[in-house]
Amino acid sequence: TGLSTSTVIVMSGHHWLLAWIGLELNTLSILPMIMKSGHPRATEATTKYFLIQATAAALILFAATMNAWTTGQWHMTSHLTSMTTTAISLAIMLKLGLAPMHAWYPEVLQGSTITTAMIISTWQKIAPLTLLYLMNDQLPTKVLLLIGLLSALVAGWMGLNQTQTRKIMALSSIAHMGWLLVAMTLNPNLALLILTLYITMTTAMFMSLNTTMMKTLTDLGTTWTQSPTLTTLTVLTLFSLGGLPPLTGFLPKWLTLNELCHTKLTPFATMLALASLPSLYFYIRMTYLTVLTIPPATTNMEHKWRPHNHIPLLLSTTASLATLLLPMTSVLIPI
């Protein structure tokens, strides 16, 4: 309830003070969920998350106060000084965990449970991105394009040597946020569509990991004995996250590159497409470990024994949407 209320405060109000209150409530509401397990890593992750989010929110409040001192306006859509827009944009980048302010994000997700990591990677993105959406006309375009490209590149390279699925999903989230940031500078409505598709695909992947209890890459080879259908859906979701056609994940990359080419930014579009190749590699590596490898047999049984897990309805729904939405491109494309 606290998470939803705080997000609504940010989305409904156009006053900087209300936005700051919403961001602080949003942070304070997620902290008990991160530390719920009581593990020392969870406590460490909670501390890191609190310090980062509080620092970013304080920077936003400071920048908004300085802008009100200069212009006499607290309204988000009023004129903002260049210092204010740059400071608030960088603070939002810090809250989102984008490069080069990304180091805290994989560590926080690794210290959380998979369900909490899913919430941090999806719902917690909405409030900061709402502020970017409202400020869209005054954003420093070149800075955001550079941060978007850097995030896609850094996340792809960092993910190549990771073995923990939560850290891989964290770096995947950073890369996707980089693409979303590029789309935000070009077409805010396109960014809204990309955010919706990102949340759908990421929710499907995290719920698959949670249901099959996959926490490391070595766990991937044992999932086929639990549910071949779920394993197939997981593989398709991984391909979709990588942006391969004809799956849903191809849609945001296609539309973003198309928008960049129409804006005469073809060299930038080429660099962004090449930056996504390392990410695609570690998705395909996860797929290979899931489908084409068999772990050493530890028992004489033909199938590894596991308790029967109920597959939630939300998982099948989001996994279906994460793979089958590409034919609806003409309906989904924002005007």
Side-chain angles (χ1 to χ4, degrees), residues 236-255:
L236 290 175
T237 306
L238 281 169
F239 281 144
S240 186
L241 280 169
L244 292 180
L247 302 172
T248 304
F250 178 63
L251 180 58
K253 288 185 168 55
W254 175 28
L255 294 179

Side-chain angles (χ1 to χ4, degrees), residues 8-273:
V8 168
I9 289 175
V10 175
M11 296 176 69
S12 60
H14 289 270
H15 195 282
W16 280 114
L17 197 56
L18 279 178
W20 174 76
I21 292 172
L23 291 173
E24 288 293 350
L25 285 175
N26 189 260
T27 300
L28 294 174
S29 300
I30 193 73
L31 295 180
M33 301 176 68
I34 303 175
M35 70 172 70
K36 183 181 177 183
S37 65
H39 194 278
R41 282 191 178 178
T43 307
E44 180 185 347
T46 307
T47 306
K48 288 178 179 177
Y49 188 81
F50 171 74
L51 291 175
I52 293 293
Q53 299 296 319
T55 302
L59 183 56
I60 290 174
L61 181 61
F62 172 75
T65 305
M66 293 298 294
N67 184 73
W69 182 275
T70 306
T71 64
Q73 294 290 331
W74 279 95
H75 205 268
M76 287 184 188
T77 54
S78 63
H79 174 70
L80 301 174
T81 63
S82 58
M83 186 276 290
T84 302
T85 54
T86 304
I88 292 179
S89 298
L90 292 177
I92 293 175
M93 300 306 107
L94 179 60
K95 289 187 80 70
L96 292 172
L98 289 170
M101 298 161 284
H102 62 283
W104 64 271
Y105 191 58
E107 301 300 325
V108 168
L109 257 61
Q110 182 61 29
S112 312
T113 63
I114 293 181
T115 305
T116 307
M118 178 183 73
I119 296 173
I120 295 173
S121 298
T122 53
W123 184 266
Q124 293 297 92
K125 305 288 188 187
I126 296 176
L129 288 171
T130 301
L131 296 183
L132 277 185
Y133 189 90
L134 293 173
M135 294 171 54
N136 180 68
D137 294 336
Q138 307 182 64
L139 292 176
T141 306
K142 292 181 180 179
V143 174
L144 296 192
L145 286 175
L146 180 61
I147 291 178
L149 176 61
L150 188 63
S151 297
L153 186 61
V154 169
W157 281 107
M158 285 185 64
L160 293 178
N161 65 342
Q162 296 295 334
T163 58
Q164 302 290 327
T165 53
R166 278 168 291 186
K167 283 192 175 182
I168 290 175
M169 289 304 297
L171 295 166
S172 164
S173 174
I174 294 170
H176 279 89
M177 283 295 110
W179 281 83
L180 193 149
L181 199 61
V182 171
M184 182 73 76
T185 62
L186 303 171
N187 185 343
N189 294 326
L190 174 60
L192 192 60
L193 171 63
I194 292 176
L195 175 63
T196 306
L197 296 178
Y198 160 77
I199 289 177
T200 302
M201 294 186 293
T202 304
T203 301
M205 194 61 225
F206 269 113
M207 294 193 73
S208 298
L209 296 176
N210 192 37
T211 304
T212 56
M213 297 178 286
M214 292 189 292
K215 294 184 178 179
T216 65
L217 292 183
T218 53
D219 296 333
L220 298 177
T222 64
T223 56
W224 65 273
T225 59
Q226 182 178 0
S227 174
T229 308
L230 179 57
T231 302
T232 305
L233 272 178
T234 303
V235 168
L236 290 175
T237 306
L238 281 169
F239 281 144
S240 186
L241 280 169
L244 292 180
L247 302 172
T248 304
F250 178 63
L251 180 58
K253 288 185 168 55
W254 175 28
L255 294 179
T256 304
L257 293 176
N258 183 58
E259 196 78 21
L260 283 169
C261 292
H262 279 307
T263 322
K264 309 299 182 184
L265 291 173
T266 308
F268 184 87
T270 305
M271 288 188 291
L272 191 61

Side-chain angles (χ1 to χ4, degrees), residues 217 220 231 234-239 280-293:
L217 292 183
L220 298 177
T231 302
T234 303
V235 168
L236 290 175
T237 306
L238 281 169
F239 281 144
L280 180 59
Y281 171 79
F282 65 69
Y283 291 130
I284 293 179
R285 182 180 62 175
M286 291 178 70
T287 304
Y288 172 78
L289 292 173
T290 304
V291 180
L292 298 176
T293 58

